[in-house]
Amino acid sequence: MTSREEAAAAAAKSGVVIRELHEIGEFSQVFRLFEQIWRPDPGNAPVSVEMMIGFAHAGNYVTGAYEGDVLVGASVGFRAAGGALHSHVTGASIGRGIGYALKLHQRAWCLEQGLERVTWTFDPLVRRNARFNLVKLGARPEEYLRDFYGVMADAINEGDSSDRLLAVWPLDERPIEPRVEPAEGRPRVLEEGGDGPLVRAADTDTDADVVLVGTPRDVERLRGQDPAAARAWRAAMREVLGGLMESGGRVVGLTDHGDYVVTLTG
């Protein structure tokens, strides 16, 4: 099955049709969809209609997933250095596979354009996004970006620093093979405890070649219920995962418990 056929099959399974967008009315639909998902403050939209017009006109990636006449997902990206597409923002209805269908469409489009990889950023605290990116797609984080976007005034990120992981997704014609990494025998340097929102190891010094860095079960819910605990998680993740990656550690997978699997340099 070609990448285009694989993308079409995923879209059909989700009950949508995915296509590139070119008209102002279509870009306005994307803008409204992203408003519904992120509920940003005025002036803090993920991407403006004018920017989408410019991206599409210049040959970049602006697509929508339609269920009949209703837009239920969209993705906006632009060409980056080194034969890459940087996927700036993707949003879709949760739980129907639309996001996965959009990524496969993005992959097929990039291959047809001669691009070699897709990059994007995601919050290292959001476990479901980490699972989607690392396990479902097979992307790998290559850089820890501290407060990358600065203050983000929207319903999802309000009150939190915008630390991100830069995900890199190499593209080729090989089938995607989801893989969950084993956790047995590997020390956890950051984890969630039963008697509190955060338990952190005393330090990250270890003789092990591989360590696990845990994530909270639902940081987005935690931000609303216990903002102090969410901020503590942010600080711990920045210190532990950020520190490991800045020292040469590489994230190579995710366990079924939601731990980043990090290989250490000697």
Side-chain angles (χ1 to χ4, degrees):
M1 184 180 293
T2 68
S3 59
R4 180 61 68 175
E5 291 169 339
E6 187 178 18
K13 184 176 180 180
S14 297
V16 299
V17 174
I18 299 176
R19 56 180 173 82
E20 292 183 61
L21 306 181
H22 302 283
E23 303 296 332
I24 292 178
E26 296 171 332
F27 302 139
S28 296
Q29 289 179 324
V30 174
F31 185 87
R32 289 193 295 271
L33 175 67
F34 288 168
E35 275 195 323
Q36 293 168 9
I37 294 172
W38 278 279
R39 302 191 300 280
D41 286 352
N44 194 54
V47 62
S48 68
V49 170
E50 291 80 7
M51 190 67 73
M52 285 184 274
I53 292 170
F55 282 168
H57 183 73
N60 291 290
Y61 185 80
V62 185
T63 61
Y66 284 87
E67 185 177 42
D69 295 329
V70 179
L71 183 74
V72 292
S75 183
V76 179
F78 51 86
R79 295 170 189 262
L85 177 82
H86 184 74
S87 183
H88 175 61
V89 57
T90 299
S93 300
I94 295 176
R96 296 179 48 194
I98 299 170
Y100 182 60
L102 280 166
K103 295 306 288 186
L104 291 193
H105 184 278
Q106 190 177 76
R107 174 175 176 260
W109 184 90
C110 287
L111 288 169
E112 291 165 0
Q113 298 291 318
L115 302 177
E116 298 176 355
R117 65 189 184 278
V118 181
T119 64
W120 63 89
T121 63
F122 71 97
D123 188 338
L125 292 177
V126 181
R127 184 183 292 181
R128 61 181 173 81
N129 285 354
R131 191 178 308 282
F132 178 78
N133 293 329
L134 276 66
V135 178
K136 185 79 171 178
L137 296 179
R140 290 293 177 263
E142 290 197 356
E143 187 177 1
Y144 191 99
L145 305 167
R146 298 179 181 230
D147 206 20
F148 186 60
Y149 296 109
V151 176
M152 299 180 70
D154 61 54
I156 295 176
N157 300 285
E158 184 72 40
D160 195 5
S161 298
S162 58
D163 288 21
R164 294 293 183 266
L165 288 174
L166 177 67
V168 178
W169 191 25
L171 305 178
D172 53 43
E173 289 292 348
R174 293 193 303 272
I176 298 169
E177 298 179 359
R179 173 178 169 80
V180 176
E181 293 290 329
E184 294 77 10
R186 295 170 172 176
R188 284 190 173 89
V189 294
L190 179 62
E191 62 183 333
E192 189 170 42
D195 57 353
L198 173 67
V199 173
R200 186 173 64 215
D203 55 50
T204 56
D205 294 332
T206 177
D207 293 330
D209 295 328
V210 180
V211 297
L212 305 179
V213 178
T215 57
R217 279 168 288 185
D218 188 346
V219 72
E220 293 165 315
R221 182 177 179 183
L222 192 63
R223 285 180 188 135
Q225 296 181 344
D226 191 343
R231 288 193 295 271
W233 262 110
R234 176 68 71 202
M237 186 64 71
R238 179 181 292 184
E239 176 185 341
V240 177
L241 184 61
L244 289 171
M245 294 183 72
E246 288 162 6
S247 298
R250 295 177 56 248
V251 178
V252 298
L254 194 79
T255 71
D256 56 2
H257 185 68
D259 309 291
Y260 293 105
V261 181
V262 184
T263 60
L264 308 179
T265 57

